[in-house]
Amino acid sequence: MSVDELSRAFRQHGRIVIVGASLAGLRAAETLREEGFTGSLTMIGDEPQEPYDRPPLSKQVLLGHMPADATPLPRRRALDAQWRLGVAATGLDLTGRQVRLADGEEVPFDRLLIATGTRARPWVKEAEADLDGVFVLRTSDDAARLNRRLTARPRRVLIVGAGFTGSEIASACRERGLEVTVAERGPAPLVGALGGVIGAVAAELQREHGVDLRCGITVTALEGDSAGRLTCAHLSDGTVLDVDVAVIALGAMRNTEWLAGSGVAAGPRGVACDAGCRAFDIHGIVTDDIFVAGDVARSPHPLFGYQFLSLEHWGNAVTQAEVAAHNMISSGPDRLPYLWVPAFWSAQFGVNIKSTGVPTMGDKLMITQGSLAEHRFTVAYGFQGRVIAAVAFDQARWLDFYRRLIETAAPFPLEFANVDRRPEGLRAVPSEFPDPSLPSHGPTVTLSGYSPSDRKVTFTPARM
Amino acid sequence: MRIVVDLNRCEGYAQCAFLAPDVFTMHGEEALMYTPHAGDAQREHVMRAAAACPVQAILVDQRDDQADEPAAQREAEAHVR
Ligand SMILES: Cc1cc2nc3c(=O)[nH]c(=O)nc-3n(C[C@H](O)[C@H](O)[C@H](O)COP(=O)(O)OP(=O)(O)OC[C@H]3O[C@@H](n4cnc5c(N)ncnc54)[C@H](O)[C@@H]3O)c2cc1C
Ligand code: SF4
């Protein structure tokens, strides 16, 4: 059979298995069907729910606007898939082409998509993490539990870690009129993702909205009463804080343990893949039939020096899943590279924050529009004389324009410095990313090295 | 009916909030908040909002029969071996 015939036969009768039935898994499945795959399709997911959307969990759900189980993702089309929900994949047999499930079953495949995403990083001390009143937020069950507790109006909520998730939770709590303390090891909220200059604005926002924000502080211990209920938190400056709820928001861990020993290049940084979403094996050789997409993937990006990027964002999961799915049923020159420019949004304290490009790469920045003092601005990040990222606070409409500057490697500092003609933007200043070797909350765009098996991390996803 | 908005694309023009105010609301200056799971009574409004969005950021269930029951469940049942 010629390559074309093989490819046609696979499209008609092949067996595709997708592990991880969430945003990336669902969008990949839809794309496979849309592009004419008529073979068998199996969706394996350890959560019992059908695929649902996570961003509303820290926003609409925690504001009490809607229940946690009300975010099932809309379907673009019928999937005609076999669903194995509520059962985890526990192993992968590369040569035998089978996925092992927790219930002992083995599911054979011709091509596999790994879309197992991430989970919340738990509190380090297990006994303390088990206290009643200690929460994380990743799943709809997490959100339901936390929302129930917030509805009971705790005296004070402690949020450990001021990354995007922690800051959004703090915002929701304040909007509900709850007392909130945020403890952040770094010098400001969002500093790992956006740097110190913009982090200072995030700090102002929090304080203006009544958050008791404590930076440069770590939580050293959580303490409970005899009934196992959280009562207080010990901080590194010696303070003891009475709290009955603590939310651990220290970033995410990639769900790759099930791939241990499989021969796929998978580890704590995720699963390395080529620009076409094909997973690498541990020797750095690309596999032909194993694909990766979403939060669990790390892939090289030509716009960013071919550095492997790990992106924990909604838009990445959707777009990468579509490219992976397309490539799973295409051959040779029909395959597409994954060239999406990273982008994400966050809504907190009434401000719409949006980002394009890779801010963590930008060592300089300039305010090109608006003003930091007004909390309404656009900032461009530069790296080695070119525009590498832009972030907008309540100025989202401009970001498409900046995305094109990034795509065309426009020179930095920008010539049109400050179209508003305000003093802040006239020059490029250091963006003040913290020393990557100092742990804080993690940025959600992570530069994770150059080679598939690279264990050396150039920008540590610094965590507490 | 199920709704998801691609908030990377959304530019906060608020057309949707005019056309289906019970489902889409602006939070602050330009952050959009929406109800991901709206009653079917809203369908007409939501479809109009989706059509009017200048950046086509609103995705609504394409399957009329899907209503509010868990599609995965039904598909799973249809495939019991
Ligand atoms: C509270 C919250 C708020 C967010 N807000 C934003 C936002 O405002 N903007 C933004 O851009 N992004 C946001 N995100 C990030 C966005 O939700 C993720 O990028 C997206 O969910 C990634 O999708 P995914 O399918 O790759 O991974 P996931 O959604 O993590 O899905 C992976 C799935 O695989 C399952 N799984 C894991 N291991 C196994 C196994 N061994 N066997 C079977 N199944 C397995 C998991 O249980 C999960 O269901 C937010 C995330 C959270 C948690
Ligand atoms: S109409 Fe579209 S762009 Fe405008 S707010 Fe609604 S979703 Fe966003």
Side-chain angles (χ1 to χ4, degrees):
Chain A
M1 264 200 277
S2 73
V3 175
D4 270 2
E5 283 165 339
L6 270 173
S7 170
R8 212 169 311 126
F10 175 74
R11 275 172 174 259
Q12 278 169 10
H13 309 295
R15 295 167 303 178
I16 290 183
V17 169
I18 297 179
V19 182
S22 181
L23 182 61
L26 176 65
R27 291 296 178 244
E30 288 167 344
T31 306
L32 288 170
R33 291 301 191 208
E34 272 158 21
E35 295 197 6
F37 174 70
T38 55
S40 91
L41 180 57
T42 306
M43 306 283 291
I44 298 166
D46 61 0
E47 294 187 88
Q49 299 92 339
E50 62 175 307
Y52 61 86
D53 207 27
R54 294 179 207 276
L57 300 180
S58 54
K59 306 173 186 78
Q60 293 97 312
V61 171
L62 284 195
L63 284 168
H65 292 175
M66 44 179 274
D69 61 3
T71 74
L73 282 160
R75 302 294 182 79
R76 297 203 302 229
R77 51 164 301 132
L79 283 186
D80 186 21
Q82 263 134 300
W83 292 80
R84 302 297 315 271
L85 297 180
V87 55
T90 51
L92 167 63
D93 176 355
L94 262 191
T95 34
R97 295 200 192 187
Q98 289 192 327
V99 172
R100 246 185 332 275
L101 302 188
D103 62 9
E105 205 184 317
E106 315 227 288
V107 186
F109 63 81
D110 299 313
R111 292 218 165 118
L112 172 73
L113 179 68
I114 298 169
T116 43
T118 57
R119 63 182 182 277
R121 180 179 296 273
W123 182 240
V124 273
K125 300 179 203 167
E126 236 175 90
E128 297 180 9
D130 287 344
L131 289 171
D132 180 21
V134 179
F135 298 86
V136 293
L137 180 58
R138 178 78 200 174
T139 66
S140 79
D141 288 347
D142 293 340
R145 275 192 293 268
L146 179 55
N147 183 49
R148 211 173 304 129
R149 192 60 68 91
L150 296 183
T151 308
R153 305 209 64 80
R155 287 167 304 153
R156 178 168 292 277
V157 178
L158 169 67
I159 292 165
V160 187
F164 284 106
T165 305
S167 300
E168 288 180 6
I169 299 168
S171 169
C173 289
R174 285 306 299 146
E175 207 166 320
R176 293 175 82 155
L178 299 170
E179 295 300 324
V180 181
T181 298
V182 171
E184 162 61 41
R185 187 173 200 157
L190 310 185
V191 68
L194 305 180
V197 176
I198 307 307
V201 180
E204 265 171 39
L205 274 175
Q206 295 215 357
R207 295 204 167 104
E208 273 170 22
H209 284 82
V211 173
D212 168 31
L213 173 66
R214 306 188 187 198
C215 297
I217 286 283
T218 56
V219 174
T220 51
L222 299 171
E223 196 179 312
D225 61 15
S226 54
R229 277 183 307 242
L230 175 70
T231 53
C232 64
H234 296 257
L235 308 185
S236 54
D237 63 356
T239 317
V240 180
L241 207 63
D242 284 339
V243 290
D244 30 27
V245 171
V247 189
I248 311 303
L250 294 175
M253 297 164 76
R254 295 183 164 74
N255 293 318
T256 55
E257 291 81 358
W258 69 284
L259 295 165
S262 67
V264 168
R269 311 254 147 262
V271 183
C273 60
D274 74 355
C277 308
R278 294 181 298 181
F280 283 107
D281 72 11
I282 47 169
H283 307 295
I285 300 172
V286 98
T287 58
D288 262 329
D289 302 316
I290 314 290
F291 291 73
V292 203
D295 278 14
V296 76
R298 51 188 285 255
S299 62
H301 201 307
L303 263 183
F304 306 99
Y306 287 97
Q307 174 133 203
F308 281 72
L309 295 182
S310 301
L311 306 171
E312 295 172 42
H313 301 131
W314 194 93
N316 170 63
V318 171
T319 320
Q320 197 170 26
E322 289 170 353
V323 173
H326 171 87
N327 289 345
M328 285 177 92
I329 51 171
S330 308
S331 51
D334 293 335
R335 286 186 167 159
L336 296 171
Y338 179 56
L339 297 177
W340 187 68
V341 178
F344 65 87
W345 77 89
S346 166
Q348 47 184 277
F349 305 104
V351 174
N352 189 28
I353 301 177
K354 292 181 81 162
S355 165
T356 177
V358 181
T360 43
M361 236 170 141
D363 48 8
K364 296 258 171 47
L365 61 75
M366 59 197 302
I367 310 303
T368 47
Q369 289 168 258
S371 111
L372 294 180
E374 290 166 20
H375 303 164
R376 192 185 168 95
F377 58 86
T378 306
V379 51
Y381 292 76
F383 176 67
Q384 294 183 347
R386 51 180 277 228
V387 182
I388 205 88
V391 169
F393 275 44
D394 272 349
Q395 282 197 340
R397 272 157 230 184
W398 290 98
L399 276 195
D400 245 7
F401 166 73
Y402 287 89
R403 179 175 50 78
R404 282 191 292 273
L405 294 182
I406 297 164
E407 282 169 346
T408 51
F412 182 94
L414 284 158
E415 295 289 326
F416 60 91
N418 204 349
V419 287
D420 285 2
R421 299 205 178 288
R422 291 191 225 198
E424 289 173 43
L426 291 175
R427 62 203 171 87
V429 296
S431 45
E432 294 177 13
F433 279 99
D435 176 349
S437 64
L438 292 177
S440 80
H441 64 265
T444 48
V445 179
T446 311
L447 307 172
S448 58
Y450 286 95
S451 112
S453 55
D454 209 346
R455 298 267 160 82
K456 190 181 112 269
V457 181
T458 38
F459 193 96
T460 319
R463 303 232 150 87
M464 281 197 169
Chain B
M1 64 186 304
R2 303 158 176 212
I3 302 157
V4 75
V5 179
D6 181 342
L7 290 168
N8 285 320
R9 258 199 221 175
C10 167
E11 296 188 355
Y13 289 111
Q15 267 89 332
C16 53
F18 290 117
L19 291 167
D22 292 337
V23 177
F24 304 95
T25 49
M26 301 314 286
H27 200 74
E29 296 274 321
E30 60 168 52
L32 176 68
M33 292 262 172
Y34 62 95
T35 314
H37 209 221
D40 261 351
Q42 291 290 334
R43 182 168 281 271
E44 207 179 306
H45 297 288
V46 172
M47 296 314 276
R48 224 177 289 152
C53 171
V55 290
Q56 294 294 296
I58 303 172
L59 175 67
V60 181
D61 255 354
Q62 292 307 309
R63 300 171 57 198
D64 288 343
D65 62 333
Q66 199 165 41
D68 286 325
E69 34 176 328
Q73 217 56 43
R74 277 185 302 128
E75 287 193 38
E77 277 155 25
H79 283 279
V80 268
R81 289 148 296 157

